[in-house]
Amino acid sequence: MGVWGVFCSRSCPAGCNIWPRLTVRVSGPDLRESVPYPLEFFTSKPTISSHQTAAKIFINNEWHDSVSGKVFSTYNPATGEKICDVQEADKADVDKAVQAARLAFSLGSVWRKMDASERGRLLLKLANLVERDSAYLATLESLDTGKPFLSSFFVDLQGTIKTFRYFAGWADKIHGSTIPTDGEYFTLTRHEPIGVCGQIVPWNFPLVMTAWKLGPALSCGNTVVLKPAEQTPLTCLYIGALIKEAGFPPGVVNILPGYGPTAGAAIASHMGIDKVAFTGSTEVGKLIQEAAGKSNLKRVTLELGGKNPNIIFADADFELAVEQAHQGVFFNSGQCCTAGSRIFAEEPIYEEFVRRSVERAQRRTVGNPFDPTTEQGPQVSAEQQSRVLELIQSGITEGAKLECGGNAPPSKGFFVEPTVFSDVQDHMRIAKEEIFGPVQQIMKFKTIEEVIERANNTEYGLAAAVFTTDLNKAMNVSAALQAGTVWINCYNALSCQCPFGGFKMSGNGRELGEIGLKEYTEVKTITMKMSGKKS
Amino acid sequence: MPGPPSLQIHRSASRSKPCKYCRTINSHSLPPAPDMKTQPISNYLLQIFINNEWHTSIKGKKFPTINPATGVKICDVEEADKADVDEAVRAARAAGQRGSEWRQMDASSRGRLLHRLADLLERERAVLATLESMDTGKPFLHAFFVDLDGSIKTLRYYAGWTDKIHGKTMPVDENFVCFTKHEPVGVCGAIIPWNFPLLMFMWKIAPALACGNTVVIKPAEQTPLTALHTGALIKEAGFPPGVVNIVPGFGPTAGAAIGSHMNIDKVAFTGSTEVGQLIKAAAAKSNLKRVTLELGGKNPCIVFADSDLQSAVEETQKGAFFNQGQACTAASRVYVEEAVYDEFLRLSVERAKNIAIGDPLEPRTSHGPQINQHQFDKILELVASGKKEGATLECGGCAVEDRGLFIHPTIFSDVKDHMRIAKEEIFGPVQCIMKFKTQEEVIDRANGTQYGLTAAVFTRDIHRAMSVSAALEAGTVWVNCYNALHAQAPFGGYKMSGNGRELGEYALAEYTEVKAITLKLSERLTL
């Protein structure tokens, strides 16, 4: 273990000269041999050397100051320190971006005339650029979100790259069909881009969510106005630089860092935006859909909250179930819409399951995201931290048994201890509300019918899991669960090839997979009158 | 003609970066003229490629490959025979067995490998185009812009498919759960022709590999060089050993061994209808291997009086003479509506006389030699039959003096449907122009053939375009264009032009076995 290294210092790869120059000084154990990637660095104490310039708004492949002249700051949640300022987009900036996106989408534009396969090539190039800069992006992601660097590098970056590659392949495979209509007609369908897509992404997986949004939208030939979360705008803006470097025409992707009630609201109610995709809370999702209805009936896809049940049967592989259930709820400090926050363990194994889960939670290492042994970083903000602590308090008040954790460790960062509750009742707030923090609720069940009913008894329906070695149970429970994704003997097994989205109030529509393309295309039916008919 | 070609290729030619948007050839987009004077191709590129290694033939035989533009031997290549095919099949079986690296690879990683191979083809583009031009006699620029472009795009297209080959779940009756998996077929034999050696190589291996198969491929004995060069690139890209095996050799020996091999699960053949029938019979007699065939054509082009005549003349003529007429898609029967027949003929002849014949490596050349003496003789024999049977020879009809295998672009008018030149696949630069009066008549005449590969219709009338394209018995119909082939669009023949389809999503079906998995549950699923 030696102190070594200064890691990457980069400015905008496209040479636009406005990218805040982050130099992160690192010291810590040399992990070059244990990490299966030629990492030039590892860090336990990142510091920012200079940030005189605020990161800017990306419109028309150019970098802009905000129209209002306002800036906001983005913070490192592990230390509470400011990273840098960012130009704050508001309605006027959204208008500018929409104008650019509309122009880029206009009939006869470079983008509209581009071969579909060439769109695929651009997306592939973008994937390669993200791969090239993945160490830097992972660092930036960890700095801005507080998530452990290794998670950023191996989960977020890989997910981002794979998503771009996957949708690159679809670009020239979005097939319409020809239809044997009755009468003397011939019909064919074209799957055309919708137009300008507004996209609003959350702070828990800033890069991956950016890729989930941009990948299918660009693959289908749309143009985009994208707002990253105000907590975590940096990696998304960096993608802007890569978009330009990859060679996307100006205006195809526009990135507007800003706040929900201003920039976000402007996107949702904009008359020049044809579709809006939102990932975030159910509460805001409702506002978005309402704004879409009140404005121009823009198409809406929503990927919202979850209170995801994880059902552990007595016949399950116990070790696997304990570990997967643990990861399922604590991953990303519990800040996942997929967090498996309601664990139903079958009566015979309940005690043991609780005991082992508590043991595992107590072993969970919380700390500096840049320490490679860290499993859990801070919550994203002071606000989220206090919300989580407040819900933990309610659990205690309502009579659940606090098995471990429950506090914020003394730190300038926004940390919360891994927390486990047993004896949780379905009516308690911690069993009903999305906590978005490292809090595991463990409930007891007796029969299949009972647990299915309890698992489904929620307004949410995003994900669910079942752990059993019994084929019949696995298939029957997975069929009965009201959730867009059901995992059997695994958790958070997301891949860009598989559709993802929510039943009920967890969302509208699906992202990823072939079905994700549907949300970014309008189907045009072209019917031709034929003289005579031939089969 | 220049002196004997040396087996040397200027490596740095591959650094050229032509504009990828260029559709037309102009001075800005010309790749540097290949300099044939530097380092030689290493000998290993002339051997049999099995298990990512280079082998000499078991029998110790070699065969020469000839530059058809000069008649001079380019080099000798190790000749694969049955024993070598056996070796290749063994390697392919091992590479595709359960638990192998290839079978355990993520589908998306297969896509990455195909993309990498496409990148390598791009890097070697000028070298491969030069080799292709030397080995086939096709103009270098055609090789560079058509064959290489098509090859690279085909690889990229299928690279994207690898992780999108979806099975389904079916709502079966009672308490069952049923889903399908589309699994690789296994070892795929492929036998490809000499007219588009590299492009056909990619049409075969790209979908096969995208679906997770392993391949034993035999390039044509006339044109093995680009295939073997690609072997080196396949290894460099990182495909596991045995996934692709290349066995240069002859049809009756290596080809027949593939067609009747008990351990090959599928064979894909592109070539003549005659050999296609042998392949299918061999498949049936051996192990009922799956068969896809892409065979000959005698493709009709129908030019209506209301068409853009100039464009129709150009497209049909390119269709007839492209690649010296050595294309299964060759537009060898042109039916022109009576009212514009004379004008069409006049323009066609005028145009044919201006075709630049010459050294394929010269950038101005658009017409090279036929592939070999056998083909050359066959074409001239058919030309003679046309004259004898009473067709009017409008231009060409003979070899270029003192130029070996070059034949002048040839046009016959007043061709009748019963003449041999109107019925047999000529595979040479011979355009037969016929007259027609009514739509019904021309559809019947166009379909009056055992072939059904491609067809074209030229008209401005939307009704006519739709109803004629619906009536034509052909796997591909072009409206107001010709030879508009794309990796995304399926290609293959009706009737005796073939079985199955290549390219597009459709080709994936030819390289997968569908497995239906049905689970019985103790009770009905809740719906």
Side-chain angles (χ1 to χ4, degrees):
Chain A
M1 297 265 267
V3 176
W4 65 283
V6 166
F7 84 88
C8 39
S9 159
R10 283 199 72 107
S11 47
C12 167
C16 60
N17 230 356
I18 52 86
W19 188 253
R21 219 156 290 161
L22 296 177
T23 307
V24 187
R25 294 210 174 71
V26 298
S27 55
D30 185 345
L31 286 187
R32 277 175 296 185
E33 282 180 8
S34 56
V35 178
Y37 184 82
L39 291 184
E40 294 166 10
F41 58 87
F42 234 93
T43 173
S44 61
K45 196 176 187 319
T47 56
I48 312 306
S49 70
S50 70
H51 43 83
Q52 312 92 327
T53 335
K56 300 199 180 194
I57 297 169
F58 184 72
I59 296 174
N60 244 335
N61 282 4
E62 287 158 1
W63 300 93
H64 298 260
D65 287 333
S66 68
V67 173
S68 67
K70 284 201 284 189
V71 296
F72 67 96
S73 302
T74 180
Y75 296 92
N76 176 352
T79 61
E81 288 165 15
K82 182 168 110 173
I83 301 172
C84 63
D85 284 328
V86 180
Q87 295 288 337
E88 183 187 332
D90 201 338
K91 189 174 177 321
D93 307 281
V94 171
D95 286 343
K96 261 169 72 177
V98 172
Q99 216 162 16
R102 275 249 86 82
L103 193 65
F105 189 74
S106 58
L107 228 49
S109 71
V110 180
W111 182 238
R112 291 298 293 276
K113 289 205 289 195
M114 190 179 279
D115 284 344
S117 63
E118 189 60 24
R119 288 203 306 272
R121 294 277 286 148
L122 288 179
L123 274 169
L124 198 64
K125 213 160 160 197
L126 179 61
N128 291 341
L129 294 176
V130 173
E131 193 167 54
R132 180 194 71 190
D133 293 348
S134 52
Y136 179 77
L137 276 164
T139 309
L140 204 56
E141 193 78 322
S142 282
L143 209 56
D144 216 8
T145 62
K147 65 174 73 192
F149 173 82
L150 285 182
S151 272
S152 295
F153 191 81
F154 289 106
V155 180
D156 297 66
L157 263 295
Q158 285 310 303
T160 304
I161 294 162
K162 284 190 168 182
T163 303
F164 283 137
R165 287 227 166 91
Y166 178 75
F167 284 107
W170 271 122
D172 60 354
K173 300 171 183 70
I174 303 168
H175 296 158
S177 43
T178 61
I179 299 160
T181 20
D182 287 353
E184 295 191 338
Y185 299 101
F186 173 73
T187 299
L188 54 94
T189 60
R190 276 166 52 84
H191 293 211
E192 299 183 354
I194 296 176
V196 177
C197 298
Q199 305 185 319
I200 303 173
V201 298
W203 46 259
N204 56 347
F205 295 93
L207 262 179
V208 178
M209 291 301 113
T210 298
W212 284 23
K213 297 284 181 285
L214 288 182
L218 299 178
S219 181
C220 296
N222 297 281
T223 60
V224 172
V225 174
L226 188 149
K227 185 191 92 61
E230 67 274 16
Q231 295 88 344
T232 56
L234 296 182
T235 48
C236 185
L237 285 170
Y238 191 87
I239 292 289
L242 299 184
I243 288 272
K244 183 174 177 173
E245 189 183 350
F248 284 91
V252 169
V253 176
N254 306 279
I255 301 171
L256 293 101
Y259 289 86
T262 53
I267 288 173
S269 60
H270 207 288
M271 296 300 288
I273 290 182
D274 305 297
K275 184 235 157 81
V276 61
F278 170 77
T279 298
S281 71
T282 295
E283 184 193 346
V284 176
K286 287 178 166 183
L287 295 176
I288 301 266
Q289 179 132 309
E290 195 183 333
K294 280 192 185 151
S295 56
N296 60 347
L297 278 175
K298 56 174 68 64
R299 286 95 193 87
V300 180
T301 47
L302 302 172
E303 202 270 90
L304 309 172
K307 189 71 191 176
N308 310 294
N310 186 354
I311 302 173
I312 321 285
F313 284 98
D315 65 18
D317 176 338
F318 192 74
E319 300 294 324
L320 176 82
V322 169
E323 183 61 24
Q324 289 290 304
H326 172 83
Q327 297 295 355
V329 67
F330 290 109
F331 178 65
N332 209 38
S333 306
Q335 304 170 131
C336 300
C337 47
T338 60
S341 54
R342 289 188 295 148
I343 293 170
F344 295 95
E346 200 172 359
E347 197 174 27
I349 56 160
Y350 182 80
E351 301 301 332
E352 180 65 3
F353 188 86
V354 170
R355 195 181 66 74
R356 294 290 303 281
S357 295
V358 171
E359 204 179 282
R360 179 65 186 88
Q362 283 169 334
R363 277 208 322 274
R364 190 169 182 83
T365 50
V366 181
N368 182 344
F370 289 93
D371 179 336
T373 61
T374 294
E375 287 177 281
Q376 180 177 317
Q379 308 309 115
V380 77
S381 63
E383 185 194 345
Q384 284 295 321
Q385 183 196 35
S386 49
R387 197 182 117 81
V388 173
L389 292 172
E390 191 266 321
L391 271 159
I392 291 173
Q393 205 47 55
S394 83
I396 298 168
T397 317
E398 291 188 291
K401 184 173 171 205
L402 180 69
E403 296 277 355
C404 67
N407 300 305
S411 161
K412 279 188 291 175
F414 314 126
F415 294 90
V416 175
E417 289 169 353
T419 302
V420 178
F421 279 109
S422 64
D423 297 333
V424 179
Q425 305 304 314
D426 293 0
H427 64 82
M428 295 176 182
R429 282 183 61 204
I430 53 170
K432 291 200 304 193
E433 295 178 27
E434 189 175 32
I435 301 175
F436 237 60
V439 189
Q440 185 175 32
Q441 283 64 236
I442 309 180
M443 288 93 116
K444 192 187 296 182
F445 77 91
K446 286 185 182 168
T447 71
I448 283 202
E449 289 70 27
E450 169 211 339
V451 77
I452 288 172
E453 195 158 315
R454 289 171 65 193
N456 287 339
N457 187 22
T458 165
E459 63 179 4
Y460 293 112
L462 193 61
V466 49
F467 285 82
T468 176
T469 48
D470 182 318
L471 178 65
N472 287 303
K473 266 182 212 160
M475 294 313 294
N476 276 306
V477 174
S478 58
L481 287 169
Q482 295 166 350
T485 294
V486 178
W487 288 298
I488 301 177
N489 295 328
C490 53
Y491 207 92
N492 273 340
L494 288 159
S495 87
C496 54
Q497 295 102 347
C498 301
F500 179 79
F503 278 39
K504 301 191 279 188
M505 285 176 67
S506 283
N508 283 181
R510 290 292 178 274
E511 295 187 293
L512 303 184
E514 182 176 11
I515 215 163
L517 300 170
K518 204 177 87 161
E519 314 283 358
Y520 286 95
T521 46
E522 291 280 6
V523 176
K524 180 181 283 174
T525 303
I526 301 177
T527 297
M528 242 180 272
K529 177 82 177 126
M530 301 276 286
S531 50
K533 186 174 173 88
K534 294 177 184 73
S535 64
Chain B
M1 293 303 288
S6 76
L7 231 196
Q8 294 173 345
I9 283 176
H10 185 32
R11 280 281 179 163
S12 69
S14 65
R15 299 280 172 268
S16 71
K17 284 233 166 139
C19 173
K20 62 187 165 180
Y21 297 108
C22 279
R23 292 283 183 268
T24 53
I25 297 164
N26 57 47
S27 58
H28 298 297
S29 59
L30 288 183
D35 177 348
M36 315 290 282
K37 292 192 190 68
T38 40
Q39 66 202 100
I41 316 178
S42 57
N43 278 335
Y44 71 77
L45 291 171
L46 308 174
Q47 299 185 337
I48 299 168
F49 183 74
I50 296 175
N51 248 333
N52 282 2
E53 285 159 4
W54 300 93
H55 298 261
T56 51
S57 99
I58 290 174
K59 274 194 178 163
K61 286 204 285 186
K62 292 185 181 194
F63 65 96
T65 181
I66 313 282
N67 180 341
T70 59
V72 175
K73 182 171 96 173
I74 301 171
C75 57
D76 284 318
V77 174
E78 293 290 331
E79 181 185 334
D81 201 337
K82 188 173 179 320
D84 308 283
V85 169
D86 284 345
E87 281 302 315
V89 171
R90 248 193 297 277
R93 273 251 155 265
Q97 75 185 1
R98 257 181 300 120
S100 70
E101 186 189 353
W102 182 239
R103 288 296 291 276
Q104 289 187 317
M105 190 179 280
D106 283 344
S108 64
S109 301
R110 290 203 304 271
R112 297 276 284 145
L113 286 178
L114 283 168
H115 267 307
R116 210 172 292 157
L117 182 57
D119 292 341
L120 294 176
L121 249 69
E122 244 163 38
R123 188 190 75 194
E124 305 276 307
R125 191 168 178 162
V127 169
L128 284 164
T130 308
L131 276 178
E132 196 77 320
S133 177
M134 284 169 63
D135 218 7
T136 62
K138 66 173 67 193
F140 170 77
L141 286 183
H142 289 186
F144 191 89
F145 286 107
V146 180
D147 298 65
L148 264 295
D149 192 61
S151 299
I152 292 164
K153 283 189 167 173
T154 303
L155 284 172
R156 292 211 187 282
Y157 177 74
Y158 284 105
W161 268 121
T162 56
D163 60 354
K164 300 171 183 73
I165 302 169
H166 296 160
K168 293 178 177 161
T169 63
M170 270 71 58
V172 283
D173 292 350
E174 300 174 11
N175 49 330
F176 295 96
V177 168
C178 182
F179 56 90
T180 58
K181 287 181 59 183
H182 293 208
E183 299 184 351
V185 176
V187 177
C188 296
I191 303 171
I192 57 174
W194 46 260
N195 55 349
F196 296 94
L198 192 64
L199 188 61
M200 292 302 113
F201 190 94
M202 298 311 161
W203 282 24
K204 297 287 181 282
I205 71 161
L209 300 179
C211 297
N213 298 283
T214 59
V215 175
V216 174
I217 185 166
K218 185 191 92 61
E221 67 272 17
Q222 295 87 347
T223 57
L225 296 182
T226 47
L228 293 174
H229 194 91
T230 304
L233 303 181
I234 283 169
K235 182 176 181 175
E236 185 182 346
F239 284 92
V243 169
V244 178
N245 306 280
I246 306 168
V247 285
F250 290 82
T253 53
I258 290 174
S260 61
H261 207 289
M262 292 302 288
N263 263 323
I264 289 182
D265 304 295
K266 184 235 156 78
V267 62
F269 170 77
T270 297
S272 70
T273 295
E274 184 193 346
V275 176
Q277 289 182 288
L278 294 177
I279 300 271
K280 192 153 188 174
K285 278 190 193 155
S286 55
N287 61 346
L288 277 176
K289 55 175 71 62
R290 289 93 191 86
V291 179
T292 48
L293 302 171
E294 202 269 90
L295 309 173
K298 189 72 191 174
N299 309 295
C301 278
I302 303 175
V303 180
F304 285 97
D306 69 350
S307 66
D308 174 342
L309 204 64
Q310 192 63 46
S311 154
V313 166
E314 281 171 29
E315 292 287 332
T316 52
Q317 191 154 95
K318 272 194 285 176
F321 297 144
F322 178 63
N323 212 39
Q324 296 72 246
Q326 304 169 133
C328 47
T329 63
S332 53
R333 289 189 295 151
V334 182
Y335 293 94
V336 183
E337 199 171 358
E338 200 172 23
V340 293
Y341 182 82
D342 290 338
E343 177 69 357
F344 183 91
L345 185 59
R346 191 181 64 75
L347 290 170
S348 292
V349 171
E350 197 178 287
R351 200 167 190 282
K353 285 178 174 166
N354 283 324
I355 289 172
I357 307 175
D359 176 2
L361 295 175
E362 165 68 42
R364 272 171 292 276
T365 297
S366 65
H367 191 92
Q370 307 309 124
I371 188 78
N372 60 19
Q373 193 67 43
H374 174 76
Q375 289 292 323
F376 177 87
D377 292 344
K378 188 184 137 198
I379 294 160
L380 290 182
E381 191 267 322
L382 272 159
V383 167
S385 85
K387 285 193 270 190
K388 213 176 98 198
E389 291 187 291
T392 309
L393 179 68
E394 297 281 350
C395 65
C398 57
V400 179
E401 274 176 49
D402 307 326
R403 290 298 287 267
L405 302 173
F406 290 75
I407 295 178
H408 281 293
T410 300
I411 296 180
F412 277 109
S413 64
D414 299 327
V415 178
K416 303 290 179 238
D417 293 358
H418 64 81
M419 294 177 182
R420 281 183 61 206
I421 53 172
K423 291 199 303 191
E424 295 179 27
E425 190 175 31
I426 302 175
F427 236 61
V430 183
Q431 188 180 26
C432 302
I433 303 182
M434 287 94 119
K435 195 185 291 182
F436 78 90
K437 286 184 181 166
T438 73
Q439 187 170 314
E440 278 315 303
E441 167 212 337
V442 77
I443 288 171
D444 276 346
R445 289 171 66 193
N447 287 339
T449 165
Q450 63 175 355
Y451 293 113
L453 193 61
T454 69
V457 49
F458 291 85
T459 177
R460 286 196 174 96
D461 182 322
I462 188 170
H463 292 291
R464 201 172 264 160
M466 293 309 295
S467 53
V468 174
S469 59
L472 287 168
E473 295 165 2
T476 294
V477 178
W478 289 300
V479 179
N480 294 331
C481 55
Y482 206 88
N483 272 341
L485 289 160
H486 299 104
Q488 298 96 347
F491 179 79
Y494 275 43
K495 301 192 277 187
M496 285 179 74
S497 283
N499 283 181
R501 291 294 177 271
E502 295 189 291
L503 301 186
E505 184 177 7
Y506 294 85
L508 300 172
E510 314 283 0
Y511 286 96
T512 46
E513 290 280 5
V514 176
K515 179 183 283 176
I517 299 176
T518 303
L519 313 180
K520 180 160 164 72
L521 300 181
S522 53
E523 56 188 300
R524 245 171 210 266
L525 284 189
T526 332
L527 283 179

